[in-house]
Amino acid sequence: MSDFPKDFLWGAATSSHQTEGNNINNDWWDAEQKGRVGYKSGLACRHYEFYKEDFNLARQLGHNAHRFSVEWSRIQTKEDYFNIEEIGHYLDVVKTLKGQGLEPVVTLHHFTNPLWFAELGGWENKKSSAYFSSYVEKIVSHLCPYVRYWVTVNEPLIYVYHAYLIGTWPPHQKSIYKAKKVTRNLALAHLKAYALIKKIYAEKGLGPVHISIAKNMRYFVPASRNPFHYLTSSLKDYFFNWRLLNYLSRHKSLDFIGVNYYTAEFIPENNMKFKNIRRNNLGWPIYPDGLLCLLLRLKRYNLPVFILENGISTNDDRERWDFISAHLKILSRALRQGTDIIGYIHWSLIDNFEWDKGFAPRFGLIEVDYGNYRRSLRESARKFAEVCNAGDLKE
Ligand code: BGC
């Protein structure tokens, strides 16, 4: 018996601002020009021009799915203006994916906002979810014949943390009050988008359509017997991993649970017990077992789980394969233990712009040479391809 179901979705992800290049109408671009985020995305990977070549590589690598994000600031360049050519671009993107046998998994918001929206107060504005809905309505009505999986908002809490709590991402705020308000508005944006997408598909007689968010989940490990560490770890676990999911699930607005898993957090950080733990080159502990615990706990929602991101920043490609194979083993164990998992999407298809860390972190299955934008397949990509093709870990 093979490790993974026959119709399992295998693929890799990208996001618009990190790969496309020249996203000149969003808040990140603006912050980059003003020197507020350390690096400039510039042409990024020129994926906006080279998406066909990139999808061709994905298909050669045995993928049958691909996750990408639509850049809101390209679609709605002003509050009252939708750019039909840019809608045409993403229409071509989904048609190309379909033509290559890749199931499109489309993210509607991946950290960047149109500048006009940011200038109106962004996600602090009480009309923010209504603005988002107008964009969602427009793009979904065009792409719906080709798309079955939508991700409304990527990692709402990671966005809130960086943009409204520690202030490293635009709009560089440090306010618990604003963070709470923005979290509420993002949740509302999801609820409205969920209902809207269902309505559009119903009206057009299309479906079924599967909608979720991409929830970054982290495994919190109390690293000592100290009750204070236990308490801190369970509070972090509740507020970071479960609170928003519980809320969205209570409102019946999730058709599956989209999970992004990278790392674990030890409490306290500096506990000697974990001094030998391997880390990626950004310092994040590598902890596949944490994914198993989270997957088993996700069974409580009675919804399929879709891994929408999992990956490692490293300059040593053998480490990348170790990371991938360790996490895939965990998935096959979780499947055996009754978690319904429908797919695994790796982060990322190609090296890309890692936000305030620039281009140095390498997360790609495919290497990008930023001198000439040439792509080269990494060995880990070929090994992953064997698993995608066989649906089996062969070990
Ligand atoms: C984000 C990606 C990012 C990746 C690696 C995720 O939190 O969705 O945009 O590149 O992590 O940091």
Side-chain angles (χ1 to χ4, degrees), residues 18 110-111 154-155 216 260 262 284 309 347 354-355 363:
Q18 295 179 271
H110 198 123
F111 299 157
N154 182 66
E155 302 185 341
N216 184 301
N260 294 0
Y262 288 88
W284 309 353
E309 285 182 33
W347 183 270
E354 180 56 25
W355 306 111
F363 274 96

Side-chain angles (χ1 to χ4, degrees), residues 120-131:
L120 289 173
W123 291 102
E124 287 171 59
N125 188 325
K126 58 176 184 303
K127 290 203 302 206
S128 51
S129 59
Y131 290 130

